[in-house]
Each structure stands twice: as C-alpha cells, then as structure tokens.
Amino acid sequence: MGLLDFFRSPRQTSAAVARERLQILVSHERSERNKPSYLPMLQEDILAVIRKYVAVDPDAVTVTMEKQHNREILELNVVLPERTVKRRRSYART
Amino acid sequence: MARIIVVTSGKGGVGKTTTGAAFAMGLALRGNRTAVIDFDVGLRNLDLVMGCERRVVYDFVNVINGEAKLNQALIRDKRCQDLYVLPASQTRDKEALTKEGVGRILDELAESFDYIVCDSPAGIERGATMAMYYADDAVVVTNPEVSSVRDSDRMLGILASKSRRAEQDAEPIKEYLLLTRYSPQRVKVGEMLSVDDVQEILSLHLLGVIPESMAVLNASNRGVPVILDEESDAGQAYADVVARYLGEDLPHRFLEEQKKGLLSRLFRG
C-alpha cells in the first residue's frame, strides 16, 4: 500500500456492493409481488374522493402495503398542493 | 406416502442437475426407494450426469401419453438398487407436460417410492412450474452471485403462489437454500458474497454449502453422481446435505479455505 492510499477513503469490496444492491432489489421485488391485486383500484378510488374536495395531481396519492412480522401496514400518502397565498415574511430582527 | 422434492433455481448452470443426481443418490444410498425425474423436456441431461444415457428407451412424456408403462421407462441405477431415473423426452416440446399428466405419474410413483426428486429446468416456463407444482420440499440451488440470488428469490415467490400447496391453502412448501460453487478464498478477500450474505438476503434455511470443486466436472465427465466420490470435498458436502435433509444436525463444512499440507501439495497438485 502506497502512502497516498492511506488518505483515500477505503474502497468497498465488490462483494459488499453486491450485497447492498441485492438487499435493495430483493426487498423491492418482494414488496411488489406481495401487493394485493386491489391496490391500484383502491388508489384510484381514493384519488377520486380526494379530488372531489381538493384539486390534487393524479400522482399525488400513493398507496403502499408493507408487511412487518405478522401485521400488514397499509400506508396512504397524499400530497396536498401548496397554498397559492403567499406567506408574509417577517422582517423582525433581534 | 412419498415425499416430493423439487430441485430448482430459476437461473441455469448453477448446479441443479448435479444436485438432483447427487441428492437422489444420497437418499437411495441410505436405503430409501428414490426416483429422480428430469423435467427438462427437449434438453434432457440428467441421464448423462447419472451415466445411464445409453439405457434410455422410453421417457417421461411417453408415460404421460400412455405410450409406455412407468416401469418400462424407469431406469434402475447400476450402482444403487434403490435408485431409479425417469428421463425427459428429447424430442417433444415442454407443452407435453400437463398438470394432470404429471400428477398422475407422481401419484403412481408415490405408491412404491419413499422420495421423488424432481430436477427442474432453468427458467420459469412449463417444465419448471410443473417440476415444482406438486412439491412438498424445495431445494433452491443458488450461486453466490447477483443474478443467481435474484432468480432464486423470484422462484421463492413462485413456490409460494403457484404450487399445489399454495393453491389449496395447505401447509407451504418447505424451502431450503443450497449454496453451490462456493469459494471461501474469494469470500475472504471480498470478491464473493458470503454464505451469511446470501442467507440474509433470501432468509432461507441453509441446507448446505457445496464448495467450487474439480470433483464436480470429473464426476459428470464419467456419469457418476459426485456424492459417490467420497474422497472429494463436493462429494462429502453433498453427503452432509442429504444427512441434514433427513434430520441430522451436522455442522457446515468447507466454509473456510482448506489449508493444503506439504504432502498433499506434492502428491495431488
């Protein structure tokens, strides 16, 4: 090992990179295939209900199903549009 | 009642047929009446690895279609009287395997055998799905390599959703991980996924680790299941795998680099 190597950040081994990539990929693919088949329809219905009251983007609603140990978590995420009213800035200084 | 074991992997070339041949021979050597079936219709190779390629007269598809009786197609192993091979058809296409036909043959085999080992083809098409459909246990053969691990995980998904046990809401197929072509030297220097890495990613029960070994090619060259090479690391590892499958609690071997003594260096290369 040269003197310069001492200052470089230690390089990850290729096996460590493989492990990380696989962990991410496998957990993603598992969650995809464990999705209940009604999820896209549920997402559409929820979006329709929300749009009756708030003008949100079609992609503002995401529904995900996660399994942790022996319970399932249905996660609903709605991004509301930002308010058009500008906030007043306070110029107060201390 | 026979136990049906599928040897599967998704990816090709990881050692399914080597494993199917060794595993079936191992079960039979312990006095279990065992049949091993090649599901790779169109690309049969189990007969070659088992060394009975010149004795094939009828095949699996002939029996399904009623063109031959099961006992005409079964080839009795010359080294072990409790082992029989049912070769795949080389000429038909894989659509010849029907769920009903395969089920009928397995039922008939179950009357007189203790274990039925189904050697699955690569991929996720008919041959592979038929090999796993009726399984009670699955040996998922995996190499410590990204594409093999990913494909194994994909097969786990299929085992859990498309098998008879899944469809009938019965107790799920028991899944076992068999890590093959393992090189402790490369793991040590960080060039290969370790057994712990693969086990953690797939979260499967580890049935065994087969080291990368010269013995495997030497055995298939000769048409001898590698488990019969009792001197070899791979042969011993497969013997351990069979013992573990049958319930023995054995420590895993060949996970560390084998230190070669001076004498073995001189005499065995």
Side-chain angles (χ1 to χ4, degrees):
Chain A
M1 196 167 81
L3 187 61
L4 275 175
D5 291 335
F6 187 75
F7 296 103
R8 287 199 195 118
S9 59
R11 264 186 74 194
Q12 246 186 330
T13 62
S14 69
V17 177
R19 182 179 59 228
E20 262 183 47
R21 292 173 63 213
L22 277 170
Q23 274 166 341
I24 294 166
L25 181 73
V26 165
S27 81
H28 175 74
E29 287 184 343
R30 280 185 184 182
S31 69
E32 281 292 310
R33 73 169 177 251
N34 292 333
K35 259 187 191 172
S37 52
Y38 59 76
L39 224 53
M41 274 146 62
L42 179 68
Q43 180 161 339
E44 231 166 76
D45 284 359
I46 290 172
L47 180 67
V49 172
I50 292 174
R51 288 181 99 176
K52 265 168 75 176
Y53 304 94
V54 192
V56 293
D57 282 341
D59 55 359
V61 176
T62 49
V63 182
T64 54
M65 184 77 103
E66 255 182 65
K67 225 175 184 174
Q68 286 182 351
H69 306 292
N70 45 8
R71 67 180 170 171
E72 285 177 337
I73 303 172
L74 182 72
E75 194 181 284
L76 176 67
N77 201 349
V78 184
V79 183
L80 291 176
E82 280 184 39
R83 293 222 191 136
T84 43
V85 198
K86 277 187 184 166
R87 276 200 206 142
R88 268 190 221 153
R89 282 194 184 160
S90 90
Y91 289 99
R93 279 186 179 169
T94 50
Chain B
M1 199 47 203
R3 195 95 187 146
I4 303 174
I5 306 146
V6 61
V7 180
T8 187
S9 72
K11 190 176 181 298
V14 297
K16 278 184 299 298
T17 302
T18 300
T19 299
F23 196 78
M25 178 61 86
L27 288 169
L29 285 174
R30 287 164 168 259
N32 301 293
R33 273 180 65 83
T34 306
V36 56
I37 310 177
D38 190 349
F39 275 77
D40 204 344
V41 175
L43 291 169
R44 77 163 170 238
N45 274 320
L46 180 68
D47 54 337
L48 205 50
V49 173
M50 295 287 302
C52 62
E53 70 278 7
R54 292 170 56 160
R55 298 165 63 207
V56 176
V57 182
Y58 295 109
D59 59 58
F60 193 16
V61 174
N62 288 143
V63 183
I64 289 177
N65 292 343
E67 296 150 6
K69 293 226 171 68
L70 187 54
N71 57 19
Q72 291 178 293
L74 283 172
I75 304 168
R76 189 179 204 161
D77 191 88
K78 291 216 160 147
R79 297 148 297 206
C80 179
Q81 57 169 9
D82 287 316
L83 181 61
Y84 290 79
V85 181
L86 184 55
S89 170
Q90 188 69 311
T91 50
R92 314 293 178 93
D93 69 305
K94 54 197 172 225
E95 303 308 308
L97 296 179
T98 60
K99 200 180 269 186
E100 185 274 328
V102 173
R104 195 158 29 84
I105 308 307
L106 290 177
D107 279 346
E108 200 180 329
L109 284 169
E111 287 170 16
S112 54
F113 284 92
D114 301 314
Y115 291 99
I116 303 168
V117 179
C118 301
D119 180 28
S120 171
I124 51 172
E125 300 202 14
R126 180 69 70 86
T129 51
M130 279 300 103
M132 69 165 59
Y133 185 76
Y134 293 97
D136 300 305
D137 302 316
V139 175
V140 180
V141 183
T142 309
N143 288 169
E145 178 269 325
V146 285
S147 45
S148 175
V149 174
R150 180 201 213 168
D151 289 359
S152 291
D153 189 63
R154 180 101 172 79
M155 293 320 282
L156 293 176
I158 296 174
L159 285 167
S161 63
K162 300 224 165 78
S163 62
R164 176 174 61 170
R165 282 172 175 269
E167 283 179 8
Q168 297 180 348
D169 242 342
E171 197 187 323
I173 294 175
K174 274 200 194 123
E175 301 154 341
Y176 300 94
L177 171 65
L178 182 69
L179 199 58
T180 54
R181 309 200 66 166
Y182 195 68
S183 169
Q185 297 90 316
R186 302 201 73 183
V187 172
K188 198 175 166 191
V189 294
E191 290 179 352
M192 184 181 270
L193 290 163
S194 72
V195 55
D196 293 335
D197 291 340
V198 179
Q199 215 190 336
E200 193 192 316
I201 293 163
L202 294 177
S203 40
L204 270 186
H205 178 77
L206 181 68
L207 190 58
V209 177
I210 311 298
E212 172 81 66
S213 167
M214 312 263 213
V216 173
L217 182 59
N218 273 324
S220 72
N221 284 344
R222 295 197 167 94
V224 177
V226 69
I227 197 167
L228 292 176
D229 185 355
E230 291 164 12
E231 303 279 293
S232 70
D233 46 1
Q236 291 174 20
Y238 273 117
D240 285 4
V241 162
V242 173
R244 273 188 217 107
Y245 173 78
L246 294 173
E248 281 177 44
D249 188 17
L250 294 178
H252 290 282
R253 296 195 277 166
F254 313 108
L255 303 184
E256 305 290 331
E257 208 171 338
Q258 304 284 303
K259 292 274 184 288
K260 271 191 181 172
L262 180 66
L263 282 177
S264 70
R265 267 177 212 264
L266 281 175
F267 292 111
R268 298 203 61 176

